[in-house]
C-alpha cells in the first residue's frame, strides 16, 4: 500500500529521474537512508519500471511526427505477433497501440522529415500484409510527456 510520501517520491522521480537522493529525501521529509529504502522498495514492487533519459528530438534529427492508422483483414494471434515483430525492428516507430473503432492500430513514427515516412511504410508492408493505412502529420505538439497520475496507485 502506498502512502503520500511514496506518491510524492514517484511524482518527483518521474519529473526528473536524476535528482539527487539528498534532495528527494529533503523534499519528502525523510532521512537519506529511509528515502533510499523507499525508492528501492518502489522499484522492487514494480512501481518504477525503469529510469531513462529523454532525448531532445530536434537535436537527435527526428523532429517530424507521423501517426499511421492501420486496418488489417487479419486478427489471428500469429498475425499480431508477426506485426509486433515487424514494428519492433523499426526504430522510428516509438509507440504502437491496438485500438477499438474503425482502425485496428495506431503507430507513432518519428522522422527526420516527412518524406522518410515512405521508407518506414515500405519496411512494414514488406513484412506484414495490411488492408489500409492512413497517415497524418502532426502539425504541433500540444501536450507531450511520460508522467502518469500517481494518485490512483495503491
Amino acid at each position: 500500500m502506498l502512502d503520500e510520501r511514496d506518491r510524492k517520491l514517484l511524482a518527483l522521480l518521474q519529473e526528473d529521474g536524476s535528482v539527487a537522493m539528498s534532495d528527494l529525501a529533503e523534499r519528502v521529509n525523510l532521512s537519506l537512508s529511509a528515502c533510499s529504502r523507499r525508492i528501492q522498495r518502489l522499484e522492487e514492487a514494480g512501481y518504477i519500471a525503469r529510469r531513462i533519459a529523454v532525448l531532445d528530438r530536434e537535436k537527435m534529427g527526428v523532429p517530424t511526427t507521423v501517426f499511421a492508422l492501420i486496418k488489417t483483414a487479419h486478427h489471428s494471434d500469429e498475425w499480431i505477433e508477426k506485426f509486433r515483430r515487424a514494428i519492433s525492428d523499426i526504430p522510428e516507430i516509438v509507440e504502437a497501440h491496438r485500438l477499438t473503432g474503425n482502425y485496428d492500430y495506431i503507430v507513432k513514427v518519428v522522422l527526420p522529415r516527412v518524406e522518410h515516412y515512405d521508407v518506414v511504410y515500405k519496411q512494414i508492408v514488406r513484412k506484414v500484409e495490411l488492408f489500409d493505412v492512413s497517415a497524418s502529420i502532426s502539425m504541433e505538439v500540444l501536450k507531450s510527456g511520460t508522467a502518469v497520475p500517481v494518485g490512483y496507485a495503491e
Side-chain angles (χ1 to χ4, degrees):
M1 193 72 137
L2 297 183
D3 63 19
E4 283 310 306
R5 281 189 175 145
D6 291 332
R7 286 184 179 84
K8 176 109 182 196
L9 280 170
L10 291 169
L12 290 167
L13 284 169
Q14 70 178 340
E15 183 181 309
D16 181 2
S18 68
V19 66
M21 187 68 67
S22 58
D23 291 340
L24 285 171
E26 183 178 321
R27 292 180 72 179
V28 296
N29 297 316
L30 287 172
S31 70
L32 193 59
S33 60
C35 184
S36 179
R37 283 192 304 273
R38 276 188 187 243
I39 291 171
Q40 183 176 2
R41 181 178 50 81
L42 292 167
E43 287 175 331
E44 289 169 356
Y47 290 99
I48 300 170
R50 62 187 176 170
R51 298 189 195 197
I52 61 168
V54 178
L55 305 181
D56 182 291
R57 287 187 35 205
E58 292 278 338
K59 291 187 186 299
M60 298 309 298
V62 286
T64 304
T65 303
V66 172
F67 292 95
L69 290 159
I70 297 170
K71 288 183 184 181
T72 180
H74 307 282
H75 299 281
S76 68
D77 290 343
E78 295 80 19
W79 186 92
I80 293 169
E81 186 54 36
K82 188 175 181 182
F83 180 66
R84 187 186 318 264
R85 281 194 313 273
I87 63 174
S88 70
D89 291 340
I90 303 170
E92 293 89 349
I93 297 176
V94 296
E95 265 186 73
H97 300 266
R98 192 163 58 91
L99 305 174
T100 62
N102 294 329
Y103 288 92
D104 298 308
Y105 299 91
I106 186 170
V107 295
K108 179 179 178 182
V109 187
V110 297
L111 303 164
R113 60 192 181 288
V114 73
E115 295 83 6
H116 191 75
Y117 170 73
D118 192 50
V119 173
V120 173
Y121 171 80
K122 287 177 181 174
Q123 287 178 309
I124 297 169
V125 297
R126 271 190 222 113
K127 296 177 181 179
V128 291
E129 183 182 345
L130 304 176
F131 178 73
D132 183 42
V133 179
S134 176
S136 296
I137 302 164
S138 173
M139 302 276 293
E140 177 184 12
V141 176
L142 301 176
K143 182 177 179 181
S144 178
T146 58
V148 298
V150 297
Y152 298 103
E154 296 179 2

